[in-house]
Amino acid sequence: MLCCRGDYEMKKNGELLWSIFITFLKIGPVTFGGGYAMIPVIEREVVERRKWLQTQDIADIFAVAESVPGAIAINSATFIGYRIAGIRGALAAMFGILLPTFCIIVLMSIFFLQLKGHPKMEAAFVAIRATIVALIAYAAIKIGKTAAVDITSVGLIALTVILMYFGHSFIHPVLLIFGGAIAGIVIVLIRQKLGCKTHLKQKEQVFDYMI
Amino acid sequence: MLLLDLFFTFFVIGFVSFGGGYAMIPLIQEEAVHRHGWLDAQQFTDIIAVAGMSPGPIATNIAIFIGVQEAGFLGAVVAAAGMVLPSLLIILGVGMVFFRIYQNKWLQSSFYGLRSIITGLIIYAAIIFAVNNGLVSSLSWFTVSQLLIFIGSLAALLIFRKHPVYIIIVSGLVGIAVYG
């Protein structure tokens, strides 16, 4: 009888992985509005409908998803999948969330590469390029609000811009990113020695549109 | 090996992509434009526009687009895999541990430094794009029109809180009307 139970469990497991995949497949296109646009949809699907996790779990998962490298949408989906059904659940959720946007961007790239050189298209992109600069500036303002908490952090921001501007031919951004993490620890240590406090905890919900 | 190159380039970028897609622009630019010569600065801006108009994470979208352009569908698959594999490894590997040490002081301290660097990288990206696209050059009708589009777009984002996709589409229509 043991083998039959095994078969049943495997079938049940397969069904679970399939429904994880389908759930995130449906959520994928919602990531249009950034990773955070997913939260209400995930709550409805994962918490209310399927009862896989609880609301508090979702909040914790997003706290981690936004702090580790990678896109929030993909991180949180992978993490939720992992919490529900282990590594295979993580893979099912990741493929689900990725597949629709992958297909859309592949089609859009092909469409764009085909239309390239068309005068109307070129004219549109001359304007869009200026808008992209605005989008990046907006991203800088939004994240700058949480980063620039004191004079030292403002100094670090300025130093990064200067180093990149004048030294981009020999300084790789990856180096700066690791340097920044170390600098953060060193600065907090020095301040501790001097008896100053650093304002550490920041609500990080600033990355909308920037997943 | 182009496919391997695509995979490893985006794999490395995926591992350090803190703070959302826009912070990764200088990094992707360094690798794709300067180091590998896959595209030029203007093509890169266009790709960001298309990536911003599509659903899904900006950085992943940029990677997929570069993959399509360089090596077709297989290139797209390889670039996407490179970009998301770090997410999977990190979530599986440190995700659970991280959960417990999230409140850790040293981790929070490193975020303090990281956030500043990320902000700096995004500001640098904005400066470079402004320069590359002729936003800051000698005063001419073209520069003025570009500045107006820039200010209009920024106002739409900051003050009117419009969705980026909406702004990109409107901007495209303005472009056809003005430069067409």
Side-chain angles (χ1 to χ4, degrees):
Chain A
M1 285 314 273
L2 217 98
C3 74
C4 295
R5 226 187 93 208
D7 280 356
Y8 172 72
E9 296 233 309
M10 241 171 85
K11 194 166 163 255
K12 219 180 103 191
N13 206 350
E15 270 169 26
L16 177 64
L17 292 179
W18 179 250
S19 53
I20 292 173
F21 173 75
I22 291 295
T23 301
F24 283 99
L25 192 77
K26 281 190 281 184
I27 295 172
V30 181
T31 54
F32 224 122
Y36 292 107
M38 284 169 55
I39 297 179
V41 190
I42 283 186
E43 282 212 301
R44 202 173 58 224
E45 286 290 320
V46 176
V47 180
E48 283 168 33
R49 242 188 96 207
R50 310 269 189 184
K51 301 202 171 19
W52 281 327
L53 297 173
Q54 292 175 331
T55 307
Q56 184 52 41
D57 296 328
I58 304 291
D60 291 342
I61 282 168
F62 268 87
V64 175
E66 66 186 355
S67 308
V68 298
I72 292 168
I74 293 171
N75 287 348
S76 52
T78 310
F79 207 168
I80 291 170
Y82 180 71
R83 290 287 295 269
I84 301 168
I87 292 174
R88 280 184 289 178
L91 281 168
M94 182 182 241
F95 279 117
I97 197 98
L98 209 60
L99 198 60
T101 56
F102 178 83
C103 295
I104 292 169
I105 185 79
V106 166
L107 287 177
M108 281 190 72
S109 328
I110 295 169
F111 184 66
F112 176 78
L113 291 171
Q114 291 291 322
L115 273 182
K116 228 176 154 191
H118 190 282
K120 289 266 187 266
M121 186 79 168
E122 290 291 314
F125 270 85
V126 170
I128 288 174
R129 279 176 209 133
T131 298
I132 295 303
V133 180
L135 271 178
I136 301 172
Y138 173 71
I141 292 168
K142 280 238 133 166
I143 193 173
K145 274 185 190 162
T146 56
V149 284
D150 47 34
I151 291 179
T152 321
S153 54
V154 173
L156 261 182
I157 295 169
L159 187 68
T160 307
V161 177
I162 291 165
L163 279 176
M164 280 303 291
Y165 195 83
F166 294 103
H168 64 88
S169 50
F170 53 91
I171 298 170
H172 201 283
V174 173
L175 235 105
L176 284 179
I177 290 171
F178 282 114
I182 296 165
I185 295 172
V186 171
I187 289 165
V188 172
L189 266 176
I190 292 172
R191 285 212 183 134
Q192 213 170 32
K193 282 247 160 74
L194 296 172
C196 314
K197 269 199 84 125
T198 309
H199 187 55
L200 284 183
K201 195 77 186 123
Q202 275 289 327
K203 197 87 191 91
E204 274 190 85
Q205 302 234 354
V206 284
F207 302 126
D208 23 7
Y209 304 143
M210 295 200 292
I211 43 165
Chain B
M1 265 306 281
L2 181 61
L3 287 178
L4 267 177
D5 248 8
L6 279 168
F7 177 80
F8 277 112
T9 302
F10 289 114
F11 185 70
V12 171
I13 294 170
F15 256 114
V16 292
S17 55
F18 288 96
Y22 285 105
M24 287 306 106
I25 286 174
L27 194 51
I28 301 177
Q29 190 179 26
E30 173 65 31
E31 288 293 329
V33 179
H34 299 141
R35 208 152 290 202
H36 292 287
W38 286 328
L39 26 97
D40 61 38
Q42 205 170 54
Q43 281 176 312
F44 189 55
T45 323
D46 293 348
I47 284 182
I48 295 170
V50 177
M53 276 190 278
S54 318
I58 287 261
T60 314
N61 285 350
I62 294 172
I64 295 170
F65 195 135
I66 294 175
V68 170
Q69 193 186 305
E70 289 308 303
F73 185 73
L74 213 58
V77 172
V78 164
M83 204 70 184
V84 300
L85 196 58
S87 286
L88 186 70
L89 295 176
I90 287 164
I91 294 293
L92 295 183
V94 299
M96 296 314 287
V97 184
F98 190 89
F99 220 35
R100 268 169 252 136
I101 61 166
Y102 179 60
Q103 301 295 334
N104 180 283
K105 202 179 132 217
W106 301 123
L107 201 66
Q108 291 291 330
S109 308
S110 64
F111 283 150
Y112 169 83
L114 257 178
R115 264 195 292 269
S116 300
I117 303 295
I118 295 299
T119 308
L121 284 178
I122 302 178
I123 294 172
Y124 169 71
I127 293 171
I128 285 301
F129 276 81
V131 172
N132 283 345
N133 295 304
L135 234 71
V136 274
S137 57
S138 56
L139 202 65
S140 65
W141 176 82
F142 179 75
T143 316
V144 172
S145 68
Q146 286 273 297
L147 270 176
L148 285 176
I149 294 168
F150 168 78
I151 293 165
S153 304
L154 198 58
L157 285 162
L158 277 175
I159 302 163
F160 304 110
R161 309 213 152 265
K162 294 286 181 204
H163 197 282
V165 177
Y166 172 82
I167 299 167
I168 291 174
I169 292 170
V170 171
S171 169
L173 294 174
V174 170
I176 292 173
V178 177
Y179 307 111

